[in-house]
Amino acid sequence: MKGSPRILFIVILMLGLAVVPLLADYFDEPFYTVMFSRMLILSIGAVSLNLILGFGGMVSFGHAVYLGIGSYMVGIGTLHAVEDGIDWMANGFIQIALAIVFSAITGLVIGAISLRTRGVYFIMITLAFSQMLYFVAVGNEKYGGDDGLSLYMRSDFNGLINIANDNSLYYLNFVILLFSLYISHRIINSRFGMMIRGAKSNEQRMRAIGFPVFRYQLVAFVIAGTLCGIAGVLSANQTEFVNPSVMHWTHSGDLIIMTVLGGLGTLFGPVIGAVAFLFLEEFLSEITEYWQLIFGPMLVLVVIFARGGIDGMLVGLDKWWHKLSSHSEKETG
Amino acid sequence: MNWILLLEQTLNGFQFGILLFLLAAGLTLIFGIMDLINLAHGSLYMMGAYFAATFTSWTDSFLLGALLAVPASMIFGMLVEMIALRTLYTRNHLDQVLATFGLILFFNEFVRLIWGPIGLDIPLPEVLNGSVDLFFGIRYPAFRLVIIAVGILVAFLLYLLVSRTKLGMLIRAGASNRQMVSALGVNINFLYTLVFGLGAALAGLAGLMAGPIMTVEIGMGEGILIITLVVIVIGGVGSIKGAFVAALLVGLIDTVGRSFLPDILGLFFSNDVADTAAPAISSMLIYLLMALILAIRPQGLFPPKGA
């Protein structure tokens, strides 16, 4: 007997995600399409965070900022399109392009300052920068301030896809998730990715070999930010609402939890983590209003006992399975 | 410019800085000695305020309530350390961040369960409720003066504790070389719990003093936690002196900036621009200060020796 329960699980998960809207329509429960849509969007965010956190060892505690930037591109864009008649600002392609540009610039500035530091300093500085941008959004009365903006309509993709329909938006999210997984896969297996991973395990050695570690890490930081910026565009379209809380520091914390819960430094870990996180939230809040009373200690226990996250458990399952199958082969052969 | 307002805001900034120092001192000690980054420090601040609110309503006296709340926060902090945090000392910072983040979620919900979702007020006694005439004809709230006085007293006591007592010697030794301290036969686990309790008592003190000025509510510790993190980063993580200087600096810049930035911007731009930009920029000021200081000195203003 060969095979791997872990790969089987991941394949089933991805196939399952691919058919969610069909099943939801069949059972007439459109709520699930929306819920899983959120999972996909946060998966993209977690996949992007995993690039720097999981593979690069850079504990960025401000990743939700890029979700915010992407969201505000949509919010501000549709606001101007509707109120001032600037049509191109409601165009989804342009919004994504702007989200990429602004996320990249933000990532460049935050990264250039934060990456000069290490360890706890890095964590706190990324956190502080995200809080700073959060306050910029809160203080900006023109674009809703604390209350945020309600979207008049979702982004317009030149009629190529009409995401006013929840199912189309779901598949747009799904395709972009696949795209970010592909990008992620290509990056971590490239020379660049090797370098980033090398710097995680021994930065001094990488520098001694002659790699400009800072520059490479900065590029990784920017790439992760832009990917998450795209997720922000999708997120605003999903909720049809933009407000500063999307970049609140606890939301950055949620992204870290998803990544760690799924499995740091694995390709599909963040997807598993995001799905598991939102399921837990949904499930626990169904049981009790005080669901965080359970979720908080659970998080502490996961950190203390399950270090590889869910993917780590699956790897353990794989090992057990291989041992089991080699045993049975010996017995039969 | 209005000089009386400027003086008043300077005092307010000083008072905010003192609160920040009480939080930052504990946080930076805990980091310096245990190498633990504790995001739940803001929760200890919140617990201090809730303890004080409860004890004040039980005893009908703010003073008694406050005197009971400090040891209660200390015991609470020591319990948290013994139950949840002890296993985290050897872990990496990511694990610590996550676990203490989990604790924040837990404490917020715990408070909501026990005290309910609505915020509480801490009533002040008559003596503290009024205002006092200061120099130049400034009237200033008595309670805020008390905060400043208590804060300075505590800072002084903390200085004596750290520099003049045996415990302080152990704390300093622990901060510069943990392994050596435990190798010399000091009960390091007990020292850790004690230091954590001390930090919790300081955070609780800050919380109970902030309670009457702001409302006592769930999540009150989170906003101030992030500013405290900025303080200890600016001051140099692990340094109490750095925490003190940075706390006052941040408190002053934040408070004075908020009230005078519209005027200052108004000198250069139209009133319209100044009014819209000022709130956003004034809440950015301390982070800009942090970025500036880190660009020049990545280790903060007063990095502890041997770190």
Side-chain angles (χ1 to χ4, degrees):
Chain A
M1 278 199 292
K2 278 275 152 70
S4 149
R6 171 170 173 253
I7 292 177
L8 186 69
F9 177 85
I10 291 170
V11 168
I12 291 175
L13 175 72
M14 294 310 287
L15 286 179
L17 286 175
V19 297
V20 164
L22 305 178
L23 290 177
D25 281 354
Y26 181 78
F27 291 106
D28 200 24
E29 297 270 10
F31 161 75
Y32 285 103
T33 306
V34 175
M35 176 178 153
F36 276 86
S37 218
R38 268 185 71 210
M39 289 178 183
L40 295 181
I41 294 166
L42 290 173
S43 295
I44 301 170
V47 166
S48 71
L49 177 62
N50 191 33
L51 274 179
I52 48 175
L53 177 65
F55 293 105
M58 297 168 242
V59 186
S60 166
F61 208 135
H63 211 61
V65 156
Y66 309 103
L67 279 180
I69 291 175
S71 296
Y72 269 96
M73 289 302 134
V74 180
I76 294 172
T78 41
L79 182 80
H80 284 302
V82 172
E83 293 195 346
D84 306 331
I86 313 172
D87 282 340
W88 60 266
M89 289 190 80
N91 185 302
F93 293 112
I94 292 176
Q95 286 170 347
I96 288 183
L98 286 175
I100 289 176
V101 171
F102 278 98
S103 303
I105 294 172
T106 312
L108 198 65
V109 174
I110 296 182
I113 297 173
S114 316
L115 283 168
R116 287 167 49 87
T117 63
R118 286 289 171 266
V120 213
Y121 282 88
F122 185 80
I123 302 176
M124 292 185 195
I125 290 158
T126 47
L127 176 61
F129 272 119
S130 75
Q131 195 70 358
M132 173 173 118
L133 290 173
Y134 169 78
F135 281 123
V136 171
V138 170
N140 197 335
E141 292 297 331
K142 190 170 179 212
Y143 296 120
D146 211 2
D147 300 328
L149 296 165
S150 280
L151 257 55
Y152 291 97
M153 55 191 181
R154 287 181 174 169
S155 305
D156 161 37
F157 284 91
N158 289 7
L160 280 177
I161 25 170
N162 177 12
I163 58 168
N165 175 326
D166 276 339
N167 284 7
S168 328
L169 180 57
Y170 184 92
Y171 281 109
L172 178 66
N173 296 340
F174 190 65
V175 168
I176 293 185
L177 173 61
L178 291 181
F179 167 78
S180 54
L181 282 169
Y182 174 72
I183 294 273
S184 182
H185 171 74
R186 289 298 298 264
I187 288 178
I188 53 188
N189 291 305
S190 66
R191 181 175 171 279
F192 173 79
M194 291 293 182
M195 154 63 222
I196 293 294
R197 289 151 73 186
K200 180 195 176 189
S201 47
N202 193 332
E203 190 178 327
Q204 213 139 24
R205 183 174 296 169
M206 293 314 283
R207 207 173 286 138
I209 302 172
F211 285 104
V213 173
F214 175 82
R215 226 181 294 162
Y216 276 69
Q217 286 184 327
L218 186 58
V219 172
F221 197 85
V222 170
I223 293 175
T226 50
L227 255 182
C228 195
I230 300 175
V233 171
L234 300 173
S235 160
N237 277 301
Q238 178 62 56
T239 51
E240 298 184 41
F241 180 67
V242 179
N243 80 343
S245 75
V246 72
M247 50 171 118
H248 194 251
W249 71 282
T250 49
H251 208 210
S252 298
D254 288 345
L255 283 176
I256 300 184
I257 294 173
M258 288 171 202
T259 316
V260 173
L261 187 66
L264 271 184
T266 58
L267 188 60
F268 287 93
V271 183
I272 303 174
V275 170
F277 180 93
L278 289 177
F279 256 128
L280 266 179
E281 184 182 290
E282 195 65 35
F283 174 69
L284 290 178
S285 56
E286 207 115 300
I287 301 176
T288 161
E289 184 193 348
Y290 304 103
W291 67 278
Q292 291 188 330
L293 211 54
I294 308 170
F295 188 72
M298 211 159 164
L299 194 60
V300 179
L301 292 179
V302 166
V303 168
I304 294 177
F305 295 111
R307 306 202 62 182
I310 298 174
D311 195 76
M313 290 185 216
L314 291 174
V315 170
L317 188 68
D318 259 11
K319 280 191 190 136
W320 174 80
W321 177 260
H322 283 300
K323 216 192 273 171
L324 203 72
S325 51
S326 62
H327 259 295
S328 62
E329 263 166 38
K330 260 181 222 154
E331 273 166 24
T332 50
Chain B
M1 209 178 256
N2 186 341
W3 292 106
I4 291 186
L5 185 65
L6 179 66
L7 268 172
E8 248 174 39
Q9 290 301 333
T10 309
L11 279 174
N12 280 344
F14 205 66
Q15 172 254 312
F16 183 46
I18 290 284
L19 284 184
L20 284 176
F21 167 69
L22 291 178
L23 278 164
L27 198 59
T28 210
L29 266 183
I30 289 166
F31 181 80
I33 297 170
M34 285 95 108
D35 198 20
L36 172 78
I37 164 150
N38 177 24
L39 292 184
H41 204 69
S43 300
L44 299 171
Y45 167 86
M46 175 177 73
M47 293 311 293
Y50 271 95
F51 283 142
T54 308
F55 293 139
T56 305
S57 75
W58 281 356
T59 57
D60 267 334
S61 150
F62 175 69
L63 191 68
L64 270 180
L67 285 178
L68 285 171
V70 172
S73 310
M74 182 161 182
I75 293 167
F76 183 80
M78 287 164 94
L79 283 177
V80 170
E81 195 268 352
M82 285 191 273
I83 295 169
L85 296 178
R86 200 164 261 193
T87 42
L88 292 172
Y89 295 146
T90 51
R91 295 301 188 78
N92 62 36
H93 292 141
L94 176 60
D95 284 356
Q96 298 174 348
V97 161
L98 277 177
T100 52
F101 186 76
L103 286 180
I104 293 181
L105 301 181
F106 174 77
F107 289 135
N108 282 346
E109 212 70 305
F110 176 74
V111 166
R112 198 151 71 94
L113 189 70
I114 305 240
W115 282 279
I118 304 161
L120 304 177
D121 281 319
I122 301 182
L124 282 175
E126 282 299 309
V127 197
L128 295 177
N129 225 348
S131 297
V132 179
D133 280 313
L134 288 182
F135 40 85
F136 307 130
I138 299 175
R139 284 186 67 77
Y140 197 72
F143 185 64
R144 286 180 188 259
L145 285 181
V146 171
I147 294 181
I148 296 177
V150 169
I152 291 175
L153 182 70
V154 168
F156 181 67
L157 289 179
L158 199 62
Y159 167 77
L160 285 185
L161 174 79
V162 172
S163 63
R164 294 277 187 276
T165 64
K166 176 131 190 277
L167 177 66
M169 192 180 73
L170 289 177
I171 288 176
R172 277 179 290 140
S176 58
N177 195 335
R178 258 169 298 151
Q179 280 92 349
M180 186 54 86
V181 175
S182 68
L184 289 173
V186 175
N187 183 348
I188 201 89
N189 280 337
F190 181 66
L191 181 68
Y192 283 177
T193 309
L194 209 61
V195 169
F196 199 88
L198 182 66
L202 291 175
L205 178 65
L208 76 90
M209 292 202 297
I213 309 179
M214 308 160 211
T215 20
V216 180
E217 58 188 354
I218 295 161
M220 65 185 278
E222 288 162 26
I224 205 166
L225 168 82
I226 307 218
I227 306 180
T228 309
L229 292 178
V230 171
V231 166
I232 70 173
V233 165
I234 289 178
V237 181
S239 155
I240 295 186
K241 185 169 87 180
F244 187 73
V245 175
L248 293 185
L249 196 64
V250 167
L252 281 173
I253 288 183
D254 191 55
T255 312
V256 177
R258 270 172 213 278
S259 41
F260 287 97
L261 204 65
D263 291 343
I264 296 170
L265 286 182
L267 296 177
F268 302 100
F269 305 100
S270 71
N271 275 341
D272 208 29
V273 174
D275 281 348
T276 45
I281 297 180
S282 59
S283 45
M284 285 170 67
L285 274 182
I286 53 170
Y287 304 103
L288 293 176
L289 174 77
M290 179 193 72
L292 184 75
I293 286 177
L294 286 174
I296 304 165
R297 288 177 69 101
Q299 294 305 308
L301 291 177
F302 301 94
K305 293 184 191 86

